[in-house]
Every structure is written in C-alpha cells, then in structure tokens.
Amino acid sequence: MKCYLLAGFTLFYFSASFATEIPYAQALLNEKEQVDQGFVRQRKHYSTVEAQRISNESCERGWKLLFRDKNLPSAMNEFNRAWRFNPDNYQVYWGSGIICSIQGEIKSLDQEKFLNQGIVLLEKALNLSNSNDRSNIAVDLANAYNGLGVMMLNNENPRKALQLFDKSQEILSSVIEKNSKNGRAHFLLSVTFFYKSDFSNAKREANLALNNGLKIPEEYLERLNLNMMNSDRK
C-alpha cells in the first residue's frame, strides 16, 4: 500500500527558511568542561537567587525570539546564557531541544545529529521540569521522536522508524490519559498513526484534536483523506 507522505515535517510550525545553522547548546557540558570554560567560577559571583533570576530572564527572551521573532540563533544564544547561570533550569533544555529539532527538519549531513540532540535535550527538560509544564514538554518530545522517525522513513529504514513512532505513541498516549482534551497531543498522535499507515486511528485522533479546538493544517487533512481513500481501494 502506497502511503502519501507529508511534504515535510513542520509540526513546530516553522518554515525551513527560519532554520539556519544552529550551534549545539552548551547544556550538555560535563562538570570538568564547565570548570574549564569558567562557568562554575562565573556563577560563584552571584547569589543563587540572582543567578536564577538572570537565567529565567534569559529564557523569557529566548522564548520570544523563538516563537515571536523566529530568530533561532539569537534564541539559542539566550538559552545558552540562561544555562550558564543555572544549569538546572529545565526551560534551557526545553527551548534548545526545540531549536535542535527544528534544525533537524532540514536535510543535511548533520540532520540526524540535530534530531538526536533535540531528543536528548527534551528528555532532560522533562526530567527536570515541574508538574505545570510536563505535559507540554512531553508532547514536544513526542514531536521530536516523530521527526527522527520521518527521517528514518526517508532514509529507507522502516524498522527504526517504527520504533521511534512507537515511542512517540507511548508518550502521547500517556499525556492523553492524564488530559483527554489535549488537542495538540491528539493531533501529534494522529500524525504518528499516519506515518505508521494506521489511517483509521489517524483520522480518529485528528477528529479528537479538532473537537478539542486545535486548528489542523489543511494539507495534513488532505493527505490523510487521500491515504484513507487509497487504503479503501485495496
């Protein structure tokens, strides 16, 4: 059965034209590297409260640069600065994980590297996060697994792709179990089923997303309906 794939993986709602070369977040430096680069010494000049304040303010600027201005390099710089003042700030890993995942949407020699980096950062964000943001981070993490899965499909590695889609499905199902009205989780679960060629479940989840107020891209619905019609003819 032929599956009419989406033109591109843009579920963070960014055009590829916004994704320029993004350096790795420095959020994964080990303790020795932190000492060698002077970040531990720098933090000692500030009280814990002051360092956390500076870190949070940098994250706030990072989010604005990311989602409002779509300026990925400047956003990454702000998240890196936030990390230097508070390496336990989960928003650092959340924001930089999204940026790496966006960078991974572009076909390049480093595509897989960026996609894997995005997953690592988002998993760390989830582990550090408070209860208020856990579901949103989990959905972004599932999104990142879908992105890597799509790349594996394009590279003709369906077995690895299926493992990644299964992981995404597991995460999203857990989110929906806790909040059945999470429209974005339903939509991304629909996308996961789509890439697994399970179009009936993809349609069900798309309808649930719509019923919970999420606006779904028309291109996705058109591709889903096309695949369902093609499947019915078999």
Side-chain angles (χ1 to χ4, degrees):
M1 180 176 62
K2 183 177 181 180
C3 177
Y4 294 86
L5 296 179
L6 297 176
F9 185 76
T10 56
L11 297 180
F12 284 108
Y13 302 105
F14 277 86
S15 165
S17 64
F18 290 115
T20 55
E21 188 67 22
I22 308 298
Y24 274 162
Q26 294 173 330
L28 297 181
L29 293 180
N30 60 39
E31 185 63 28
K32 182 179 184 302
E33 290 169 325
Q34 292 182 45
V35 173
D36 290 345
Q37 296 194 26
F39 297 141
V40 172
R41 184 174 65 253
Q42 174 188 346
R43 285 194 291 269
K44 289 181 179 178
H45 292 291
Y46 298 84
S47 68
T48 300
V49 172
E50 182 70 4
Q52 289 176 346
R53 181 188 64 78
I54 295 172
S55 180
N56 290 334
E57 288 176 352
S58 287
C59 282
E60 185 177 348
R61 289 191 295 271
W63 290 121
K64 289 179 180 178
L65 287 162
L66 175 57
F67 288 113
R68 185 190 66 188
D69 301 336
K70 298 181 175 62
N71 186 333
L72 276 65
S74 294
M76 183 64 94
N77 287 340
E78 288 293 343
F79 287 121
N80 278 330
R81 183 174 187 272
W83 172 81
R84 290 199 295 272
F85 282 91
N86 181 11
D88 294 323
N89 188 338
Y90 71 91
Q91 294 191 65
V92 167
Y93 305 94
W94 190 6
S96 56
I98 289 175
I99 291 172
C100 286
S101 297
I102 294 169
Q103 177 67 30
E105 293 178 10
I106 301 173
K107 290 184 179 180
S108 71
L109 293 176
D110 292 328
Q111 183 179 19
E112 185 174 355
K113 179 173 66 176
F114 277 112
L115 289 168
N116 277 307
Q117 180 79 348
I119 288 172
V120 169
L121 290 165
L122 289 166
E123 285 180 338
K124 183 149 189 171
L126 188 62
N127 290 334
L128 290 172
S129 65
N130 59 39
S131 58
N132 293 332
D133 286 323
R134 284 188 64 80
S135 62
N136 289 327
I137 298 171
V139 171
D140 285 333
L141 176 59
N143 196 1
Y145 273 110
N146 275 345
L148 184 57
V150 171
M151 194 209 77
M152 292 298 171
L153 275 185
N154 292 334
N155 291 347
E156 298 183 354
N157 189 345
R159 179 177 296 181
K160 180 62 176 178
L162 182 59
Q163 293 174 352
L164 294 162
F165 294 139
D166 284 344
K167 182 64 176 178
S168 176
Q169 180 179 342
E170 176 187 339
I171 294 169
L172 293 167
S173 296
S174 177
V175 170
I176 291 169
E177 183 179 353
K178 296 174 183 176
N179 179 11
S180 62
K181 297 185 181 299
N182 190 320
R184 185 165 180 253
H186 281 295
F187 171 50
L188 289 177
L189 185 54
S190 174
V191 172
T192 305
F193 282 129
F194 177 97
Y195 281 117
K196 293 174 75 172
S197 297
D198 186 348
F199 303 120
S200 60
N201 277 324
K203 184 68 173 180
R204 185 198 71 222
E205 292 298 327
N207 288 334
L208 287 169
L210 290 168
N211 291 340
N212 284 288
L214 187 76
K215 184 177 180 180
I216 295 179
E218 286 296 327
E219 180 193 7
Y220 175 72
L221 295 174
E222 290 171 3
R223 294 297 179 106
L224 176 54
N225 290 332
L226 179 62
N227 278 280
M228 291 189 73
M229 286 173 26
N230 184 62
S231 178
D232 290 341
R233 294 193 189 104
K234 299 297 183 179

